[in-house]
Amino acid sequence: MNTAEFRKRGKEMVDYVADYIEGIHKRQVYPDVEPGYLRPLIPDSAPQEPETFEDIIKDVEKIIMPGVTHWHSPYFFAYFPTASSYPAMLADMLSGAIGCIGFSWVASPACTELETVMLDWLGKMINLPEAFLAGKDGEGGGVIQGSASEATLVTLLAARTKVIRQLQAKSPGLTEAAIMDKLVAYASDQSHSSVERAGLIGGVKLKLIPSDDKFSLRGSALQKMLDEDKATGLIPFFMVATLGTTSCCSFDNLLELGPICNKENIWMHIDAAYAGSAFICPEFRPLLNGVEFADSYNFNPHKWLLVNFDCSAMWVKKRADLIGAFKLDPVYLQHHNQESGLVTDYRHWQIPLGRRFRSLKMWFVFRMYGVKKLQEYIRKHVKLSHEFESLVQKDPRFEVCAEVVLGLVCFRIKGSNELNEALLEKINKTKKIHLVPCHLRDKYVLRFAICSRTVESVHIQEAWQHITELATELLKKEKEKKTSQ
Ligand SMILES: *Cc1c(COP(=O)(O)O)cnc(C)c1O
């Protein structure tokens, strides 16, 4: 493709994307295909001769779209939202064009510097304590990770290195292996699976502590486990507090957990992957109170802040803890600027070396929406979830299973788990809307998450009408089954 054709095809592609997004509500939200559907539809190996753009774009509709789950459909209520906005898509296009690999400051100064400033902007938007900001000479600062899972892993590894060094400074005879064997990290039983995985990858014990009846991790539960573990010679070093759990959007009690972690020399990391975006609204910011006790904080603008995947914002209070944990300086990556305090080499903050120019999409989105429009967006989603909540509450056959704080409603038919499993199966087989379930203690629960940028009250009403129709059919069949027995 030469430049002239790129100009033409680029414009066509923008039209295709605009048509896709504008007409997405007309597509079935969840595909009909079976596993393995795609292989028979395309050749066994790559073509020897070039093909045309037209051929490819035709195949997009024929081969790809039938197998796409439309995450941006207003009938998509599964998982959590994944962000999508036009400014972010355009910025990503520019990022693709610049195509730099910004692992160090010299590798592309704008890539590093815009990221540092954008993380400061975003930090200020959620009123993070000054200590997390880079500013001109701060000790903290932010970085874009690919995902919340990476943020948890990176901070766990940094905390691990930090505690090992501290213990070895005190007792030089201690081997790393001996210390590793005793290290223990904590999270609530409601934390995301990526937290447990970080423990596995990091080679340390990770214990899940029971949450309270509101699915919140409390200080007393942490303290109890710490006391038990210390009595058996274990070394607590890391704790993940979750704000907005994946199952039901509950909040761990930072104000109780934070002081304990600080007193016990435990690195506190906060995972607010989904909920974090809401903290740009003053009315939701109190949910973040206690962040001042944390060593690191992370949330995903790529979930709920209109910055397309991937963009997971992570801040640390002491960037030396991160950089110190992973620093290697082979000659080919050294540069004469690196000792100056102004220079950040993000390769020391993350697991991979390479990194894309992802801050461009934050910059475009923050400028084209402004904080006010972003706040409006969050508020609209929260309002819609409360609308759904009140529909559930008005139907005596149903119950709401956890407090609705942001854009997620957990609900179920008052009845057996089997009945609720059958309802979800019916919903996802009909494919008018798409939902996923969760377990809350021993209950099987349906999750209704407000996801799409374009979802409106009418879609919520339609979805509820649809759910209740399917429930009525199901309950009728149940009754018939019982009477015929
Ligand atoms: C979605 C989610 C994650 C995982 O996010 P990734 O960025 O995909 O790794 C982690 N924690 C919580 C609480 C989440 O909701």
Side-chain angles (χ1 to χ4, degrees):
M1 187 181 288
N2 59 22
T3 312
E5 188 182 4
F6 177 69
R7 285 181 200 281
K8 177 166 151 26
R9 300 308 186 186
K11 282 159 197 150
E12 286 171 18
M13 184 54 103
V14 167
D15 279 336
Y16 181 83
V17 169
D19 288 344
Y20 171 68
I21 298 284
E22 206 173 46
I24 200 166
H25 59 284
K26 292 184 220 142
R27 294 179 188 254
Q28 180 174 290
V29 59
Y30 190 67
D32 283 325
V33 296
E34 296 295 329
Y37 91 95
L38 188 136
R39 190 178 278 277
L41 298 179
I42 62 174
D44 266 350
S45 44
Q48 293 298 322
E49 300 299 327
E51 298 184 43
T52 66
F53 185 81
E54 265 131 352
D55 287 341
I56 302 170
I57 202 82
K58 260 189 244 140
D59 280 350
V60 169
E61 273 305 327
K62 229 171 58 202
I63 295 165
I64 303 300
M65 284 301 173
V68 170
T69 301
H70 299 290
W71 280 64
H72 303 290
S73 159
Y75 298 108
F76 182 94
F77 303 105
Y79 314 104
F80 271 138
T82 188
S84 170
S85 71
Y86 293 127
M89 284 183 231
L90 290 175
D92 246 354
M93 198 168 158
L94 178 60
S95 167
I98 295 174
C100 63
I101 305 293
F103 46 75
S104 64
W105 182 84
V106 284
S108 197
C111 179
T112 294
E113 294 205 10
L114 185 66
E115 183 162 332
T116 308
V117 178
M118 281 309 101
L119 270 291
D120 274 4
W121 275 21
L122 185 56
K124 285 179 191 163
M125 278 158 69
I126 57 172
N127 202 7
L128 267 191
E130 190 76 25
F132 287 101
L133 306 183
K136 285 201 192 77
D137 47 19
E139 289 179 30
V143 60
I144 302 175
Q145 302 282 357
S147 68
S149 315
E150 279 171 71
T152 304
L153 177 61
V154 164
T155 50
L156 177 138
L157 295 177
R160 191 186 78 179
T161 303
K162 188 176 182 181
V163 71
I164 289 172
R165 284 182 189 157
Q166 282 171 349
L167 291 172
Q168 285 183 325
K170 262 195 259 163
S171 332
L174 273 179
T175 65
E176 189 168 322
I179 298 170
M180 288 268 291
D181 197 42
K182 299 261 182 252
L183 291 181
V184 54
Y186 303 93
S188 109
D189 59 7
Q190 299 298 309
S191 65
H192 191 266
S193 56
S194 55
V195 177
E196 236 181 307
R197 216 152 156 256
L200 284 176
I201 298 171
V204 294
K205 285 176 212 50
L206 189 132
K207 294 197 174 184
L208 299 180
I209 308 174
S211 52
D212 73 3
D213 57 351
K214 288 187 151 169
F215 308 103
S216 166
L217 179 57
R218 306 295 301 272
S220 52
L222 172 65
Q223 190 67 60
K224 183 163 168 276
M225 188 143 329
L226 286 179
D227 292 343
E228 287 169 15
D229 286 349
K230 285 195 296 183
T232 63
L234 293 179
I235 307 167
F237 79 106
F238 184 70
M239 199 220 38
V240 179
T242 310
L243 297 181
T245 57
T246 315
S247 292
C248 71
C249 202
S250 59
F251 292 78
D252 290 345
N253 194 319
L254 293 187
L255 290 168
E256 291 178 1
L257 300 169
I260 298 174
C261 289
N262 288 180
K263 182 172 71 96
E264 304 268 358
N265 191 34
I266 294 172
W267 179 307
M268 179 160 85
H269 174 68
I270 300 174
D271 171 9
Y274 162 71
S277 298
F279 306 151
I280 64 166
C281 300
E283 68 271 35
F284 299 123
R285 174 58 178 77
L287 294 166
L288 185 58
N289 288 350
V291 66
E292 56 277 13
F293 298 110
D295 296 279
S296 50
Y297 172 67
N298 165 248
F299 83 96
N300 287 350
H302 73 228
K303 274 191 168 152
W304 201 13
L305 211 57
L306 295 164
V307 182
N308 290 43
F309 192 84
D310 55 339
C311 181
S312 184
M314 181 185 110
W315 291 266
V316 285
K317 257 190 204 153
K318 292 208 163 44
R319 59 175 177 234
D321 288 341
L322 267 193
I323 298 166
F326 312 122
K327 195 163 185 172
L328 274 184
D329 264 326
V331 175
Y332 51 85
L333 295 176
Q334 289 171 14
H335 55 89
H336 65 273
N337 283 310
Q338 68 184 357
E339 296 310 322
S340 119
L342 268 178
V343 169
T344 297
D345 286 344
Y346 275 127
R347 68 192 161 97
H348 302 307
W349 297 54
Q350 63 174 21
I351 292 166
L353 174 67
R355 53 202 334 275
R356 295 190 304 122
F357 201 160
R358 290 176 291 204
S359 55
L360 280 174
K361 53 193 175 186
M362 299 173 86
W363 194 46
F364 276 42
V365 168
F366 296 166
R367 292 181 66 186
M368 292 207 69
Y369 279 85
V371 177
K372 281 191 182 154
K373 290 282 177 201
L374 292 170
Q375 290 170 334
E376 263 175 40
Y377 180 66
I378 297 285
R379 287 177 182 133
K380 181 178 148 193
H381 273 199
V382 177
K383 192 162 161 251
L384 290 174
S385 76
H386 285 299
E387 180 176 339
F388 186 83
E389 177 191 23
S390 62
L391 291 169
V392 178
Q393 279 166 341
K394 271 190 220 136
D395 190 324
R397 299 172 298 172
F398 285 88
E399 60 183 340
V400 173
C401 307
E403 190 187 347
V404 178
V405 182
L406 299 174
L408 176 69
V409 183
C410 287
F411 72 106
R412 68 200 298 279
I413 301 183
K414 293 173 189 161
S416 67
N417 284 348
E418 292 71 33
L419 186 64
N420 281 286
E421 279 173 47
L423 176 62
L424 185 78
E425 196 186 323
K426 224 167 153 55
I427 291 169
N428 284 338
K429 268 201 174 143
T430 314
K431 300 177 184 177
K432 185 175 162 60
I433 61 175
H434 189 45
L435 306 185
V436 293
C438 71
H439 281 284
L440 289 178
R441 309 276 184 246
D442 52 357
K443 279 187 179 168
Y444 183 92
V445 169
L446 281 66
R447 289 169 80 265
F448 189 92
I450 307 296
C451 289
S452 163
R453 180 170 58 78
T454 57
V455 63
E456 297 289 345
S457 169
V458 14
H459 304 109
I460 304 300
Q461 297 288 336
E462 251 182 81
W464 179 245
Q465 167 117 27
H466 178 62
I467 293 167
T468 51
E469 277 167 17
L470 296 182
T472 302
E473 274 174 35
L474 193 68
L475 290 165
K476 200 170 140 222
K477 265 202 205 129
E478 286 285 304
K479 219 168 149 191
E480 283 167 7
K481 239 197 281 172
K482 274 199 191 126
T483 49
S484 70
Q485 269 164 9

